[in-house]
Amino acid sequence: MVTLKINNIEAVVPEGTTVLEAARKAGIYIPALCQHPKLTPFGGCRLCLVEIKGMPRPVTSCTTPAAEGMEVATTSPVIERLRRTVLELILSDHPNDCMVCEQAGSCTLQELAYEYGIRENRFEGERRKYARKDGNPFIERDLEKCIMCGRCVKICDEVQGVEAIEFGYRGFDAKICTPFEEDLDCEFCGQCVSVCPTGALTGKLWSKKGRQLGVREVDSTCPYCGTGCMLTYHVKDNEIVRVTSKEDGLNEGLLCVKGRFAYKYVNSPDRLRKPLIKKDGVFVETSWDDALDLIADKLKEVKAEHGPDAIAGLSSARCTNEENYAFQKFIRAAIGTNNVDHCARL
Amino acid sequence: MHNILVKVCMGTGGIAAGGDEVLAAFNKEIAEAGITASVEKKCSTHQVGCRGLCAKDVLVDVIINDRKVTYQHVRPEMVSRIVKEHILENVPVAELVAGDDYHNFHDKQFKVVLSDCGSIDPEDIDAYIAVEGYTSAQKVLGSMSPEETTDLIKRSGLRGRGGAGFPTGTKWEIAGKQVSDRKYIICNADEGDPGAFMDRSVIEGNPHAVIEGMIIGAYAIGAYKGYVYIRAEYPLAVERLRKALDDARRRNFLGKSIMGSGFDFDILVKLGAGAFVCGEETALIASIEGQRGMPRAKPPFPVYQGLWGKPTVINNVETLANVSYIVRKGAEWFASFGTEKSKGTKVFALTGKIKNSGLIEVPMGIPLRQIIYDIGGGIEGDRQFKAVQTGGPSGGCIPADLLDTPVDFESLAKVGSIVGSGGMVVLDETDCMVNIAKFFLEFTRGESCGKCVPCRIGTKRLLEILERITKGEGRPGDIELLENMSVDIKMASLCGLGQTAPNPVLSTIKYFRHEYEAHINDKKCPAGVCRDLLTYMVLPDACKGCGACLRACPAKAITGEKKKPHAIDPSVCIKCGACFDVCKFKAVKKE
Amino acid sequence: MAGLAAIFGSGAMTNSLREIEGMEVIFIIGSNTKETHPVIANRMIRAFRKGAKIIVADPRKIPMVKFSELFLRMRPGTDIALLNGMAHVIVRDGLQNDEFIADKTEGYEAWKKSLETYTPEYAETITGIPKDDIVSAARLYGGSRRAGIFYTMGITQHACGTDNVRAIANLATLTGNIGREFTGVNPLRGQNNVQGASDAACLPNVYPGYQKVDLPEVREKFEKAWGTALSPKAGLTATEMMNAAVEGKIKAMYIMGENPILTDPNMHHTVKALENIDFVVVQDIFLTETARYADVVLPAACAAEKDGTFSNTERRVQRVRKAVEPPGESRDDLSVILELAGRIGYDMNFTTPAEVLAEFGRVWPALAGIDYHRIAQRGLQWPCPTREHPGTEYLYKDGFPKGKVPFTPVSYIPAAEVPNAEFPFVLTTGRNLFQYHSGTMTRKVVPIEEHAGTPYVEISRADADRLKIKHDEMVKIRSRRGQIEVRARVTSRVSEGIIFIPMHYHEAAANMLTNDVLDPVVKIPEYKVCAVAIESV
């Protein structure tokens, strides 16, 4: 453990903790755009600069390991001036079209511009212009909004192990692209989308469906594989408009392409809406009352004629615990047979 | 029996000027003449630069019984005359011999690192051994402990020649104290400053001195493997280095149990792909690791966590080339040159508007004036000196009234510049300082890796403001904006590139603010460089009406009858300066 | 998962997902983790970054191979030869955990004898894996006391599936790599609530909580709890139900959320079965392939339209919450079942899902401590017997419920169907990253279909060249049971002689071809190996 002082507050943290992590633990806010708890430190955005006694210049708190006896100041007139300059520089090369941006309201850059009250900008100049071109149906890329924080590159490599994207080119022309700008070879997990601090990476499905206003969030569990990732449905007007995942679930905010992007089955036009009864080989819509009466009558009839073991029930691994419990109880207690199974083996 | 030796300059510059053909011609003529002479290849471009202008190549030394005569501008067709008159008849060909400026240039220097460059064959390990090469490594490995070795370098006061001037011995000491299964030593030969060619020249001229320095450094810190990270654009240096490494391995100066000492060490060559930022040590490490050459934040410094996360010492070529001489001649000897805090000598690439441009080595602390006037021979065309820019794109401009500033780490920093890797560009009255700042910013903007915001966007914005000033679109407040931005970019950038990129802007504003003001307020370029701010006009009193300007004007902007004063239509004039150049009567005025 | 339950006491994952990051060695066999459990693969990659060594055993060069220390490319259906071969080396090199064997196991000596023939040389001839790699794998796994094994259907979906699981259990038992943090045996559940559906006893032989229906004292307990007489006889498994239906023994079938036409092996057989049943009810969210054979179809709410809980692969009970209203008149499955029970004359007296979970906890103590309030933020892992219990991260900390862990000798037997001149290829089936199971949900998602909507067969370059099959060209694949046409994907993922078809696509259903031969114990069909022929169209 090392003991350091941050803004004159003593903090005791395990060795290897960065100054930024130590500050956050102590409840001290330091702005940052490129730092992310899942990723190795990058040190590119320069917003988390702090002053450390004995160091000749401000250092990035996200890359500096806390050391015994360190005295850190997370804010000072110089630090605030530098942060402001950095923000103005970023915004001077940003579309600033928050009005129509999908990410408005959940954009870290927007929030920092708001916090620093940046309306005027000393550094207007050329902005990067990119034609939008991507052939994938999941992820919308708007490179003009990219602030080169590198989170997407790092999560794709360090967490997802895919390395679909890289830094390309130099200086002002630097951009995130596929290696050698070849075709994208991607799992579309959308991890990059989830960590992008701006609107550079968003879900294609989200487009114009709703941002913050009138959107409810409902926490639930992913309906696909057995991992059981926690996810959050964003709902507007009885429609799921976005799926995200919170950091505190067992999956720590990670999802796969199915969990993140395959939610549109819910409001598919092919969904069944009414009970159907087959009459002369053709399905005819009917009422719940008639359908359930028919089923009850038929089951009673078969049970009476052939015994309960002539009836079988097949449940599903996609139904809830409660539904499965009730279903097997229905087959066992109401029908009277153990002919009940589900698709575990398949 | 005469002992005859012919040394032909065969550096990159020498070869470019036809050194190969000259050497072949000597071989042929000497063979035909039937005399015994050993024809030795002589090294490297800095030689060319050092000995005056690059234009003096091919340079050839003819040494007969230790009497050396140097020829300049030698071309193959001259060889037969030199062989016939000088070698056979012992009468030097007077009109081909190099003049006083060549000798002045050398006599005022003091050479340590370059002492054997240009006199020994870089491709012959025995030539290096003949000048006591590898005796230092033998001494260190045979009779000194790593701590004693480090202590020796510490006492010598040697500081890193790559730019920052960090004490080499201290770096070795820290790395030596790290406990790790693996440590590395890297020679940074990724010389990227425009106009700089010190490292290339040293490797081309004396690669074994660098290798020997690395062996000693590796022993001092306990490294088992070394890398030379060298630009792929230096093919001759790479070739000679590789040959030198092979030869050294063959003699067991590298490999297992070097010279029977029990110490194992070998060196690999890694080629850089031409990114300037890879000269930054953490970017260089990333590049060796096979990643994009992007700097990492420090701390942790590479001496603690460097290549593959292991303690790593990175020394520049010139630093390492000093080491064997220090071991051989003693720390005290080395420390006897230079100033209190900056010991030894420093190699500079002297270029720009100077008569004798080239590679020079001088003791630390020598005044700038002495370099420019005594060694460099003063300003080209005897125009007026304006400033000297030191330290490459990261450096600053030093004006005439500071010409007595001593050249050492502290003094240059005090006047807003740096020693850097040793670039030294002399500027005269025809240079526009805003334009100079713009030139360097164009370079750094293009070479920024794009990782951190202040460098990626900040250098771009600085350049945009400089561009608009040179176009006459500067606005009130631009100077202050440049100053404020520059300070912030310096403080907020991740690596040395961004931390120093604004230096040319700050130092030109500091010493030449009036030039900026003239551009912005009066829309004038005092040096007459920024084309958008120039106006050309005919002085009616001086004009003889000869019509030369009229004929030279590609835009047909000049009108006038013969023998009557002509006139330039400013709305048509494209400011090419053709009229100014052709007028024999100084009747065209530029302002 | 009866194989595992019979040995250790439970068929569930013994570790939790978090523990993956603390493992030294991760042995993945028969699991394409990166595609079927992508977020678990993320954990494994994080372990890899922390220095864990990963061994992948699979017939295909699956994506996790990128992170592996060793890739054991085996012939399909030869798992036992590999696992026994590894055990042979561990014993030969003295890497076994003698203390664990002495204290906690039985049958070691007899089992050890059964390994004698499984030399690495012999294992190589069966599996096709170079013997040195088998030795390296054994030393890596056997040399660690923090090693985890992960498997899925690649192990179980064989006629010898139970023996495969036993061979895995033997390996873990031999090294004592079970019952502690960061080490264990982990079957990864393929579907979101397989664990929960099994816990809740949608299984023919047990009541909720794996309590055997044929034990009188258990039956009495449930008769008392449910207030009615219960059948003392174990029921039929899904595949057996279909066989019984073909024989005319099943007259009515109620299918809730299942699509056996696509998911059961030998599709023709399943169709015949359903056609032979007098009255079929299907309750689902779409008109599935199976629903077309129903007499009554009931529109159900999907996972986003109802409240409840799912239990994930690490035994964690987590909340499912209603986010949107179901479309039209569709209703959640629970309310339908409750109402139907009432109409049949058995009132279950539940009004909310929370009450159902409460009863579940009363009949099975492992869930007794879990209620909706406690899992509002984050789920709890069973066993969780009391309201104060924090849940159980890994199983068998305090020993094994059955006492000693038995070593069970198992021997390699070739798959039920091996290639011959007429059917020279081995077909293996599974999932891909983008689709899910029978595709009921994912195939209704436009972007998924745009990207991965076309069925395909993976074939090696060598086979494709030999048969003059070009990439993306339609090919016909035949087995003894049926044939399909599908596009060829020429890839280095499969080796020569092996082809792979994902199971998701009804238009080229892999289960037209697969063999419905069952594992004798747990009745899992052999989806992973059958013999087929392939030709261009």
Side-chain angles (χ1 to χ4, degrees):
Chain A
M1 300 300 274
V2 294
T3 307
L4 70 165
K5 268 189 182 168
I6 307 174
N7 298 349
N8 280 320
I9 298 166
E10 199 168 272
V12 184
V13 293
E15 209 157 318
T17 309
T18 65
V19 171
L20 183 86
E21 288 163 345
R24 295 222 168 131
K25 262 187 208 163
I28 297 165
Y29 167 75
I30 299 175
L33 279 167
C34 67
Q35 185 270 345
H36 192 279
K38 277 202 185 59
L39 307 173
T40 56
F42 186 63
C45 79
R46 317 306 290 170
L47 283 171
C48 71
L49 287 171
V50 295
E51 285 170 356
I52 295 176
K53 201 171 168 187
M55 292 208 184
R57 56 167 64 239
V59 295
T60 41
S61 55
C62 70
T63 58
T64 309
E68 187 61 39
M70 209 176 231
E71 291 180 36
V72 181
T74 66
T75 182
S76 76
V78 172
I79 291 290
E80 293 305 322
R81 192 191 77 215
L82 294 179
R83 286 180 187 156
R84 196 182 174 84
T85 297
V86 166
L87 275 173
E88 279 185 62
L89 284 171
I90 294 173
L91 292 168
S92 75
D93 185 30
H94 193 82
N96 302 329
D97 58 355
C98 306
M99 283 289 190
V100 292
C101 182
E102 206 58 57
Q103 201 69 359
S106 37
C107 169
T108 319
L109 180 61
Q110 187 189 40
E111 201 59 19
L112 285 164
Y114 165 79
E115 187 184 319
Y116 280 81
I118 297 172
R119 190 167 188 149
E120 305 290 318
N121 194 323
R122 290 170 289 163
F123 312 126
E124 90 277 24
E126 186 195 342
R127 277 212 292 112
R128 292 164 299 159
K129 294 278 182 199
Y130 294 110
R132 287 202 203 173
K133 48 155 193 187
D134 41 355
N136 84 79
F138 302 101
I139 299 171
E140 182 74 41
R141 278 193 311 162
D142 186 345
L143 286 179
E144 292 179 21
K145 289 178 184 163
C146 172
I147 58 166
M148 298 291 291
C149 68
R151 282 185 183 181
C152 53
V153 173
K154 290 172 83 74
I155 203 158
C156 189
D157 171 15
E158 293 174 10
V159 175
Q160 200 64 17
V162 171
E163 298 167 89
I165 44 176
E166 240 307 355
F167 293 91
Y169 306 90
R170 283 186 209 163
F172 192 72
D173 304 317
K175 68 172 181 179
I176 310 295
C177 53
T178 57
F180 306 103
E181 296 225 53
E182 285 174 354
D183 289 346
L184 182 65
D185 186 5
C186 177
E187 294 181 355
F188 299 109
C189 61
Q191 257 48 297
C192 54
V193 175
S194 76
V195 295
C196 180
T198 72
L201 295 173
T202 54
K204 277 228 163 85
L205 297 169
W206 307 351
S207 178
K208 300 192 184 79
K209 286 287 188 183
R211 296 184 292 194
Q212 306 277 300
L213 201 64
V215 172
R216 276 186 305 130
E217 291 187 9
V218 181
D219 293 336
S220 194
T221 303
C222 179
Y224 289 108
C225 80
T227 310
C229 295
M230 300 295 291
L231 45 75
T232 302
Y233 294 117
H234 298 241
V235 181
K236 187 178 186 185
D237 301 334
N238 203 41
E239 186 186 345
I240 297 170
V241 296
R242 192 181 289 200
V243 170
T244 59
S245 181
K246 291 180 178 157
E247 294 284 332
D248 55 2
L250 74 98
N251 48 310
E252 297 176 13
L254 302 176
L255 290 173
C256 74
V257 60
K258 297 186 285 286
R260 197 183 301 278
F261 294 124
Y263 57 85
K264 284 277 192 179
Y265 75 92
V266 174
N267 57 349
S268 160
D270 297 341
R271 283 290 297 274
L272 291 168
R273 285 157 190 278
K274 282 184 100 114
L276 306 170
I277 290 179
K278 198 179 264 170
K279 283 188 179 145
D280 305 324
V282 184
F283 283 119
V284 182
E285 288 189 355
T286 184
S287 70
W288 273 100
D289 207 36
D290 290 353
L292 291 178
D293 268 347
L294 176 67
I295 297 167
D297 289 349
K298 279 281 183 187
L299 292 179
K300 279 193 274 190
E301 190 185 308
V302 171
K303 187 176 165 181
E305 265 179 49
H306 303 281
D309 287 341
I311 299 172
L314 212 44
S315 180
S316 168
R318 284 186 293 280
C319 293
T320 62
N321 290 327
E322 293 77 1
E323 288 162 345
N324 274 303
Y325 181 88
F327 186 81
Q328 60 86 31
K329 188 176 171 186
F330 169 74
I331 298 288
R332 291 194 159 105
I335 304 287
T337 175
N338 283 313
N339 287 341
V340 58
D341 202 3
H342 74 290
C343 53
R345 300 171 181 85
L346 315 176
Chain B
M1 184 74 189
H2 293 311
N3 187 6
I4 305 165
L5 200 60
V6 178
K7 295 187 175 184
V8 182
C9 182
M10 288 283 282
T12 293
I15 290 170
D20 273 333
E21 289 83 1
V22 170
L23 182 66
F26 269 105
N27 279 326
K28 181 167 163 274
E29 294 286 340
I30 289 167
E32 281 173 7
I35 48 164
T36 313
S38 83
V39 180
E40 204 177 285
K41 278 180 276 179
K42 185 175 174 184
C43 64
S44 66
T45 42
H46 55 78
Q47 217 74 12
V48 179
C50 294
R51 292 168 174 234
L53 299 157
C54 293
K56 288 189 194 287
D57 252 322
V58 177
L59 287 154
V60 176
D61 286 338
V62 175
I63 306 163
I64 302 177
N65 294 341
D66 294 333
R67 209 171 74 81
K68 181 168 85 176
V69 174
T70 304
Y71 291 97
Q72 62 187 22
H73 299 305
V74 178
R75 292 197 302 280
E77 59 268 28
M78 302 171 181
V79 170
S80 68
R81 199 174 151 206
I82 297 172
V83 171
K84 202 167 140 212
E85 294 179 18
H86 189 171
I87 296 179
L88 293 179
E89 295 164 19
N90 209 2
V91 183
V93 189
E95 69 260 42
L96 301 182
V97 169
D100 283 348
D101 53 351
Y102 172 84
H103 294 288
N104 279 339
F105 185 81
H106 283 287
D107 296 347
K108 303 271 163 72
Q109 297 186 44
F110 186 88
K111 297 191 178 186
V112 174
V113 170
L114 298 179
S115 56
D116 293 317
C117 281
S119 69
I120 62 168
D121 181 349
E123 297 185 20
D124 181 0
I125 191 169
D126 288 319
Y128 182 64
I129 292 171
V131 293
E132 295 182 80
Y134 288 110
T135 55
S136 297
Q138 197 162 18
K139 180 175 164 193
V140 166
L141 267 52
S143 64
M144 290 168 72
S145 70
E147 293 74 24
E148 284 168 346
T149 311
T150 302
D151 185 60
L152 177 79
I153 299 300
K154 264 181 93 172
R155 278 190 288 118
S156 76
L158 176 65
R159 292 169 64 174
R161 277 8 183 187
F166 191 83
T168 306
T170 308
K171 200 186 256 189
W172 289 10
E173 188 177 30
I174 298 169
K177 282 183 181 160
Q178 301 306 305
V179 180
S180 173
D181 55 339
R182 287 178 178 189
K183 295 181 196 175
Y184 299 94
I185 184 166
I186 298 172
C187 170
N188 183 351
D190 191 56
E191 185 172 50
D193 288 8
F197 49 97
M198 295 75 69
D199 296 345
R200 187 190 72 199
S201 306
V202 170
I203 292 178
E204 282 181 1
N206 195 1
H208 287 288
V210 180
I211 295 170
E212 191 175 4
M214 286 183 77
I215 295 168
I216 294 166
Y219 176 74
I221 67 164
Y224 85 108
K225 197 191 262 183
Y227 289 89
V228 180
Y229 188 89
I230 183 167
R231 305 181 75 188
E233 296 92 327
Y234 283 177
L236 184 67
V238 172
E239 186 191 314
R240 287 192 179 153
L241 178 66
R242 284 197 167 132
K243 181 171 191 312
L245 288 170
D246 285 343
D247 291 343
R249 265 182 219 115
R250 228 165 273 137
R251 302 285 174 98
N252 189 226
F253 296 143
L254 288 173
K256 294 275 171 215
S257 186
I258 293 173
M259 293 180 268
S261 64
F263 174 66
D264 303 340
F265 176 67
D266 207 343
I267 298 173
L268 299 176
V269 176
K270 272 276 177 186
L271 297 189
F276 176 66
V277 74
C278 284
E280 198 283 334
E281 57 186 8
T282 58
L284 187 154
I285 286 172
S287 178
I288 292 180
E289 289 174 357
Q291 298 177 5
R292 176 179 166 94
M294 287 203 303
R296 298 167 187 167
K298 297 184 282 193
F301 288 89
V303 277
Y304 301 100
Q305 283 175 44
L307 188 63
W308 317 114
K310 303 292 180 186
T312 303
V313 159
I314 301 177
N315 288 139
N316 152 277
V317 172
E318 190 185 333
T319 316
L320 289 166
N322 270 302
V323 169
S324 65
Y325 295 98
I326 295 172
V327 172
R328 215 174 298 155
K329 302 189 179 179
E332 292 68 27
W333 166 80
F334 186 81
S336 68
F337 321 116
T339 65
E340 193 199 334
K341 287 183 174 167
S342 302
K343 301 294 187 193
T345 60
K346 175 77 190 95
V347 181
F348 288 96
L350 185 61
T351 58
K353 307 289 175 57
I354 188 112
K355 279 182 183 155
N356 303 329
S357 72
L359 203 69
I360 60 163
E361 184 171 355
V362 291
M364 287 278 194
I366 183 174
L368 272 169
R369 187 183 302 280
Q370 214 171 314
I371 293 178
I372 290 162
Y373 287 96
D374 295 352
I375 299 172
I379 307 300
E380 228 181 5
D382 291 322
R383 284 190 296 269
Q384 208 184 332
F385 172 87
K386 186 187 247 180
V388 57
Q389 208 277 355
T390 69
S394 309
C397 291
I398 301 165
D401 55 354
L402 294 174
L403 262 182
D404 291 314
T405 305
V407 177
D408 60 63
F409 291 111
E410 281 70 31
S411 305
L412 289 190
K414 212 177 286 169
V415 298
S417 189
I418 55 170
V419 172
S421 60
M424 202 172 260
V425 184
V426 177
L427 307 169
D428 70 11
E429 56 190 318
T430 64
D431 288 306
C432 166
M433 299 312 285
V434 185
N435 195 52
I436 291 292
K438 193 180 88 178
F439 168 80
F440 282 112
L441 256 297
E442 270 167 5
F443 180 81
T444 41
R445 187 216 83 104
E447 293 295 341
S448 162
C449 78
K451 177 170 176 173
C452 80
V453 174
C455 181
R456 181 178 76 244
I457 309 178
T459 55
K460 165 79 176 169
R461 297 290 176 251
L462 279 178
L463 178 61
E464 284 173 341
I465 297 171
L466 292 169
E467 278 170 345
R468 76 177 179 233
I469 293 175
T470 58
K471 277 188 188 149
E473 293 159 10
R475 305 163 195 168
D478 271 357
I479 299 176
E480 293 71 22
L481 182 58
L482 283 172
E483 286 177 320
N484 292 340
M485 277 175 83
S486 295
V487 171
D488 289 357
I489 291 168
K490 278 169 69 87
M491 280 179 88
S493 287
L494 191 158
C495 83
L497 200 164
Q499 287 165 6
T500 58
N503 284 350
V505 180
L506 284 175
S507 71
T508 51
I509 293 179
K510 183 173 176 189
Y511 296 118
F512 302 94
R513 196 180 189 97
H514 54 278
E515 288 198 31
Y516 281 83
E517 285 165 347
H519 282 75
I520 296 168
N521 301 335
D522 312 332
K523 310 293 176 203
K524 295 280 180 214
C525 174
V529 172
C530 299
R531 188 188 276 196
D532 289 319
L533 298 181
L534 295 182
T535 33
Y536 286 88
M537 62 184 80
V538 178
L539 301 170
D541 295 343
C543 181
K544 307 286 183 205
C546 71
C549 60
L550 189 145
R551 286 188 295 278
C553 180
K556 304 206 185 309
I558 303 178
T559 51
E561 289 175 37
K562 242 185 163 144
K563 300 199 174 166
K564 285 188 180 165
H566 287 25
I568 301 173
D569 179 353
S571 65
V572 181
C573 176
I574 57 164
K575 301 167 186 180
C576 67
C579 54
F580 183 85
D581 293 339
V582 297
C583 181
K584 292 175 190 149
F585 311 103
K586 297 206 162 147
V588 178
K589 189 183 162 203
K590 166 170 90 165
E591 64 169 41
Chain C
M1 305 298 163
L4 208 56
I7 298 161
F8 294 130
S10 164
M13 254 180 98
T14 71
N15 298 113
S16 53
L17 299 176
R18 178 193 66 82
E19 289 167 58
I20 292 172
E21 285 181 40
M23 292 178 180
E24 284 173 351
V25 174
I26 295 173
F27 181 22
I28 305 167
I29 179 164
S31 160
N32 180 5
T33 320
K34 191 106 176 66
E35 295 195 79
T36 59
H37 297 86
V39 176
I40 294 178
N42 288 140
R43 290 269 184 191
M44 292 173 171
I45 291 169
R46 210 182 287 174
F48 166 79
R49 303 257 183 253
K50 290 180 180 173
K53 303 270 188 285
I54 296 177
I55 307 167
V56 174
D58 206 283
R60 292 197 300 149
K61 193 177 171 192
I62 51 174
M64 276 312 286
V65 171
K66 180 175 171 189
F67 307 97
S68 64
E69 180 86 3
L70 271 174
F71 171 36
L72 313 175
R73 189 168 204 158
M74 59 198 292
R75 298 191 185 113
T78 61
D79 306 76
I80 290 172
L82 168 64
L83 294 162
N84 280 0
M86 285 173 66
H88 177 102
V89 175
I90 290 172
V91 172
R92 186 192 73 187
D93 291 4
L95 296 169
Q96 75 279 9
N97 188 335
D98 290 324
E99 196 187 325
F100 185 86
I101 293 167
D103 291 354
K104 307 228 168 124
T105 73
E106 58 193 17
Y108 177 60
E109 288 304 324
W111 172 74
K112 195 167 117 182
K113 239 186 163 49
S114 78
L115 293 177
E116 274 170 12
T117 50
Y118 288 90
T119 61
E121 291 74 16
Y122 171 68
E124 174 175 342
T125 62
I126 304 292
T127 61
I129 303 165
K131 62 176 192 301
D132 290 347
D133 286 354
I134 296 172
V135 172
S136 304
R139 287 182 179 156
L140 210 51
Y141 179 81
S144 172
R145 292 295 174 260
R146 255 168 52 193
I149 304 181
F150 295 83
Y151 66 91
T152 58
M153 296 306 184
I155 283 294
T156 53
Q157 287 178 346
H158 291 278
C160 58
T162 302
D163 281 351
N164 283 348
V165 172
R166 285 175 180 147
I168 286 176
N170 287 338
L171 208 55
T173 311
L174 176 64
T175 51
N177 275 325
I178 187 154
R180 283 173 291 116
E181 197 180 17
F182 309 127
T183 179
V185 176
N186 299 292
L188 302 177
R189 304 300 194 178
Q191 300 184 59
N192 57 332
N193 204 28
V194 171
Q195 189 66 51
S198 305
D199 297 346
C202 284
L203 295 170
N205 58 336
V206 290
Y207 295 120
Y210 309 96
Q211 307 177 62
K212 296 253 195 243
V213 296
D214 46 13
L215 293 178
E217 65 274 21
V218 171
R219 193 175 76 245
E220 279 160 28
K221 170 182 157 188
F222 277 91
E223 285 179 337
K224 203 171 152 205
W226 292 345
T228 183
L230 297 171
S231 167
K233 194 176 95 191
L236 302 175
T237 66
T239 325
E240 286 170 337
M241 286 175 198
M242 294 305 169
N243 293 340
V246 171
E247 292 164 20
K249 290 179 187 161
I250 298 290
K251 300 294 178 192
M253 186 178 252
Y254 198 120
I255 302 174
M256 179 172 84
E258 257 309 310
N259 191 8
I261 294 266
L262 271 195
T263 58
D264 282 14
N266 194 353
M267 184 189 285
H268 289 311
H269 183 74
T270 312
V271 169
K272 211 159 105 190
L274 289 175
E275 281 175 345
N276 214 23
I277 300 173
D278 293 345
F279 185 67
V280 176
V281 180
V282 170
Q283 186 169 317
D284 212 317
I285 62 174
F286 291 105
L287 194 68
T288 60
E289 290 74 11
T290 303
R292 292 177 200 285
Y293 293 88
D295 297 282
V296 180
V297 177
L298 301 175
C302 74
E305 295 157 354
K306 60 193 177 191
D307 285 304
T309 56
F310 287 152
S311 298
N312 79 346
T313 187
E314 54 168 4
R315 301 165 275 105
R316 188 184 296 274
V317 182
Q318 304 189 110
R319 274 305 311 272
V320 175
R321 288 190 181 83
K322 182 173 178 172
V324 289
E325 291 297 330
E329 292 178 20
S330 47
R331 291 168 58 173
D332 68 272
D333 296 307
L334 180 62
S335 72
V336 176
I337 296 299
L338 295 183
E339 183 163 351
L340 199 56
R343 288 186 190 219
I344 283 182
Y346 179 80
D347 205 332
M348 290 202 213
N349 287 321
F350 295 124
T351 51
T352 63
E355 289 171 18
V356 181
L357 188 69
E359 181 181 306
F360 196 174
R362 282 197 296 277
V363 298
W364 187 34
L367 283 190
I370 299 177
D371 61 33
Y372 279 21
H373 185 71
R374 285 194 75 191
I375 59 171
Q377 288 293 322
R378 207 184 152 109
L380 282 168
Q381 288 170 280
W382 64 253
C384 179
T386 66
R387 290 287 140 97
E388 293 72 40
H389 196 282
T392 304
E393 281 211 293
Y394 57 94
L395 300 178
Y396 317 127
K397 187 181 181 179
D398 307 314
F400 298 89
K402 298 183 179 233
K404 300 243 173 187
V405 178
F407 279 100
T408 323
V410 288
S411 23
Y412 164 74
I413 351 159
E417 204 175 76
V418 291
N420 61 13
E422 193 191 349
F423 299 104
F425 282 89
V426 174
L427 165 69
T428 183
T429 67
R431 292 183 186 171
N432 67 28
L433 171 64
F434 295 94
Q435 300 284 3
Y436 176 68
H437 216 56
S438 74
T440 311
M441 286 143 72
T442 46
R443 299 209 69 194
K444 296 288 195 269
V445 180
V446 175
I448 296 277
E449 278 298 277
E450 274 178 27
H451 189 74
T454 317
Y456 58 91
V457 53
E458 291 181 357
I459 181 168
S460 72
R461 163 67 54 201
D463 287 332
D465 286 351
R466 196 162 41 76
L467 298 171
K468 302 203 167 34
I469 291 169
K470 290 195 197 70
H471 188 73
D472 221 23
E473 178 177 271
M474 289 302 280
V475 293
K476 186 194 285 178
I477 299 171
R478 280 188 303 119
S479 79
R480 291 182 176 87
R481 290 154 295 278
Q483 65 175 50
I484 60 169
E485 287 189 10
V486 65
R487 278 187 199 284
R489 184 178 284 184
V490 180
T491 170
S492 58
R493 275 197 178 197
V494 288
S495 343
E496 228 177 311
I498 298 168
I499 63 169
F500 169 83
I501 301 179
M503 64 180 287
H504 317 290
Y505 303 95
H506 60 83
E507 64 272 41
N511 286 331
M512 291 283 274
L513 308 168
T514 48
N515 193 353
D516 49 348
V517 60
L518 298 183
D519 176 277
V521 180
V522 293
K523 320 287 185 194
I524 297 179
E526 185 154 58
Y527 289 107
K528 297 302 180 196
V529 186
C530 74
V532 294
I534 177 165
E535 59 205 52
S536 26
V537 180

